Amino acid sequence: MHHFQYRGNTLFCEDIPIGTIAEAVGTPFYLYSHATLTQHFRAFDGAFEGMNHVTCFSMKSNSNQAILNLFAREGGGVDIVSGGELYRALKAGVDPGKIVYSGVGKRAEDLEYAVKSDILMFNTESSQEILRLNEVAGKLGKKARVGIRVNPDVDPQTHPYISTGLKENKFGIDIRKAPEEYTRAAGMENLLVSGISCHIGSQLTLLSPFVDTLSRLKDLIQELDRAGIHIEYLDLGGGLGITYDQEEPPHPKEYAGAIREGLGKNDLVLILEPGRVIMGNAGILVTKVLYTKATDEKRFIIVDAAMNDLIRPTLYGSFHGIQPVDDSGRDKFKADIVGPICETGDYLARDREVEAFEPGELMAVMSAGAYGFSMSSTYNSRPRVAEVMVKGDQYYIIRARETYEDLVRGEMIPDFLR
Ligand SMILES: *Cc1c(COP(=O)(O)O)cnc(C)c1O
């Protein structure tokens, strides 16, 4: 349940009509509901109550400082994939003892930054990276807690671009090779072998791939135990799906229940890395209709948001619900919702049955809280949009709309051109 609902004909975010915010901040903008964010975090984290666990929000889905701060206050940590994300997390007040670091291409300087910050665990993804981490930690005179991200070769049955745990994917270390890597790592002076991790994909709507993965990881943990390598943290990654359209993903309670059952009794500390399931339906993108036009083939609704603001439809063929901010119950027609960018791939929805939108009207692009703003760019020299958070009947700008000056910041014309 989220807090973007109609009262009469008017779409509200919590207790504010969305039109009121649009008037004040202009369009387009991302809009997040504080109540929804809190509720989603608690529903997820609370589902694991009674199990020793840390919920490490996957901040690549949304890395705004206000949002990270909110989750940190709720007791959450974060899953990071770059030095930049570490910087954001620390700045937002996230406890470094609750930060885990994944990614296939961590640079030496990023490893160094994270070792110095004393994060909870490095989820390493290759034997070369393990060596590099040992080297970096040695140079700093520290010991780094290390886990190996294993690739369990489980089909998550999701979009190929967001499936990560198949043996043809670039992620992790083949689970069959993991024991020898653990043995090597255990012999390294500046590493403390402490965990095992995986992340098999995103937008999963079935429990079985999670359960299969868990059972493979448990087998490995037992094998390592027999070899005298003790695993303390079991990081199951993220990936739980949400409803964009008609999907019926498991509730976090069912997900947690399946893990509880699969895990049985033991003293492992669970790490979970949810992103989309917390963020996705807690945010929308609000845009304004600029023009409409029709050809013999099609109708187009041209809006002021574009693929640079929300790339998911064109990158993954993703579905986002399209709703009028003022729903006066008009006729519907089939149209493509497109932006101003000079690319045919610039659409937010295709062949969609929508209200007969008119120029000047506001449109809500639903389920845009995850991988929305964080994947946005300034392509076509479009300043990044504002982000706003609503709490009750108040709204707060949590990221100012970028300006034209922001667009050229750091650019320089060399002397020889002057
Ligand atoms: C992207 C990612 C996640 C989060 O995935 P969601 O589908 O948004 O829950 C978690 N862990 C890792 C390592 C990731 O790369």
Side-chain angles (χ1 to χ4, degrees), residues 372-413:
F373 187 91
S374 65
M375 282 184 129
S376 69
S377 75
T378 58
Y379 185 43
N380 274 212
S381 287
R382 293 166 48 84
R384 265 178 287 240
V385 305
E387 293 180 282
V388 180
M389 185 188 285
V390 164
K391 182 172 189 292
D393 60 3
Q394 299 291 318
Y395 72 87
Y396 305 86
I397 293 174
I398 58 171
R399 192 178 206 275
R401 186 179 304 285
E402 288 182 357
T403 63
Y404 290 157
E405 295 82 74
D406 291 330
L407 286 178
V408 295
R409 175 162 309 133
E411 292 182 18
M412 275 165 279
I413 301 173

Side-chain angles (χ1 to χ4, degrees), residues 50-72:
M51 300 170 88
N52 199 349
H53 75 282
V54 192
T55 298
C56 293
F57 173 61
S58 183
M59 65 177 279
K60 73 178 193 284
S61 67
N62 192 310
S63 53
N64 186 287
Q65 299 279 285
I67 285 166
L68 300 182
N69 184 272
L70 191 166
F71 295 148

Side-chain angles (χ1 to χ4, degrees), residues 156-177:
Q157 302 182 39
T158 182
H159 191 287
Y161 280 20
I162 47 180
S163 116
T164 52
L166 282 169
K167 59 179 183 301
E168 65 260 35
N169 298 138
K170 71 175 176 179
F171 300 98
I173 290 177
D174 186 332
I175 193 159
R176 290 162 305 181
K177 300 243 170 67

Side-chain angles (χ1 to χ4, degrees), residues 58 60-61 79 81 102-103 125 149 164 171 198-199 201-203 237-240 273-277 370-371:
S58 183
K60 73 178 193 284
S61 67
D79 161 43
V81 293
S102 313
E125 306 211 16
R149 174 171 177 179
T164 52
F171 300 98
C198 70
H199 171 71
S202 200
Q203 184 53 14
L240 191 56
E273 303 174 347
R276 187 189 312 271
V277 67
Y371 307 104

Side-chain angles (χ1 to χ4, degrees), residues 103-399:
V104 294
K106 306 181 191 79
R107 301 178 307 166
E109 49 270 52
D110 295 332
L111 290 172
E112 194 174 316
Y113 181 24
V115 170
K116 279 186 185 154
S117 306
D118 205 15
I119 65 166
L120 174 59
M121 183 162 77
F122 292 82
N123 289 329
T124 54
E125 306 211 16
S126 65
S127 34
Q128 290 178 8
E129 186 196 342
I130 296 170
L131 274 173
R132 176 62 51 81
L133 179 60
N134 182 53
E135 207 177 279
V136 167
K139 215 176 74 186
L140 296 168
K142 293 205 168 200
K143 278 185 182 272
R145 276 175 298 274
V146 67
I148 291 180
R149 174 171 177 179
V150 299
N151 184 327
D153 194 24
V154 168
D155 185 355
Q157 302 182 39
T158 182
H159 191 287
Y161 280 20
I162 47 180
S163 116
T164 52
L166 282 169
K167 59 179 183 301
E168 65 260 35
N169 298 138
K170 71 175 176 179
F171 300 98
I173 290 177
D174 186 332
I175 193 159
R176 290 162 305 181
K177 300 243 170 67
E180 51 183 288
E181 293 297 343
Y182 270 107
T183 307
R184 269 180 2 117
M188 292 185 196
E189 200 173 336
N190 300 293
L191 299 183
L192 284 172
V193 170
S194 56
I196 181 167
S197 83
C198 70
H199 171 71
I200 56 172
S202 200
Q203 184 53 14
L204 272 70
T205 52
L206 295 173
L207 286 176
S208 51
F210 290 116
V211 173
D212 289 353
T213 302
L214 177 56
S215 117
R216 287 176 203 202
L217 262 54
K218 267 181 63 180
D219 290 348
L220 175 58
I221 291 172
Q222 273 166 13
E223 185 183 338
L224 293 174
D225 211 49
R226 285 192 295 270
I229 297 171
H230 183 64
I231 296 294
E232 187 181 355
Y233 295 98
L234 171 57
D235 181 341
L236 291 174
L240 191 56
I242 62 168
T243 303
Y244 284 100
D245 186 12
Q246 306 287 334
E247 304 90 334
E248 291 179 354
H251 188 275
K253 266 202 187 118
E254 297 171 71
Y255 170 72
I259 291 172
R260 204 183 291 264
E261 193 185 315
L263 204 54
K265 232 185 143 40
N266 60 54
D267 54 6
L268 289 162
V269 179
L270 262 186
I271 295 175
L272 303 145
E273 303 174 347
R276 187 189 312 271
V277 67
I278 292 178
M279 266 324 296
N281 279 316
I284 65 173
L285 174 63
V286 181
T287 179
K288 189 159 79 183
V289 177
L290 297 173
Y291 307 106
T292 63
K293 68 178 182 181
T295 64
D296 289 344
E297 312 296 317
K298 268 190 185 252
R299 277 176 201 274
F300 293 98
I301 301 174
I302 303 154
V303 298
D304 65 0
M307 65 187 278
N308 71 300
D309 305 309
L310 180 63
I311 204 173
R312 299 189 67 259
T314 191
L315 182 59
Y316 306 129
S318 314
F319 178 100
H320 287 269
I322 299 291
Q323 293 185 14
V325 167
D326 183 13
D327 181 13
S328 44
R330 287 156 300 168
D331 287 352
K332 295 202 167 189
F333 56 42
K334 197 177 257 185
D336 282 13
I337 317 294
V338 302
I341 284 187
C342 305
E343 297 275 352
T344 303
D346 181 23
Y347 59 88
L348 299 177
R350 269 190 157 166
D351 293 321
R352 189 72 63 79
E353 195 79 10
V354 290
E355 317 283 307
F357 279 96
E358 301 277 353
E361 265 188 80
L362 294 172
M363 177 188 285
V365 183
M366 308 304 289
S367 316
Y371 307 104
F373 187 91
S374 65
M375 282 184 129
S376 69
S377 75
T378 58
Y379 185 43
N380 274 212
S381 287
R382 293 166 48 84
R384 265 178 287 240
V385 305
E387 293 180 282
V388 180
M389 185 188 285
V390 164
K391 182 172 189 292
D393 60 3
Q394 299 291 318
Y395 72 87
Y396 305 86
I397 293 174
I398 58 171
R399 192 178 206 275

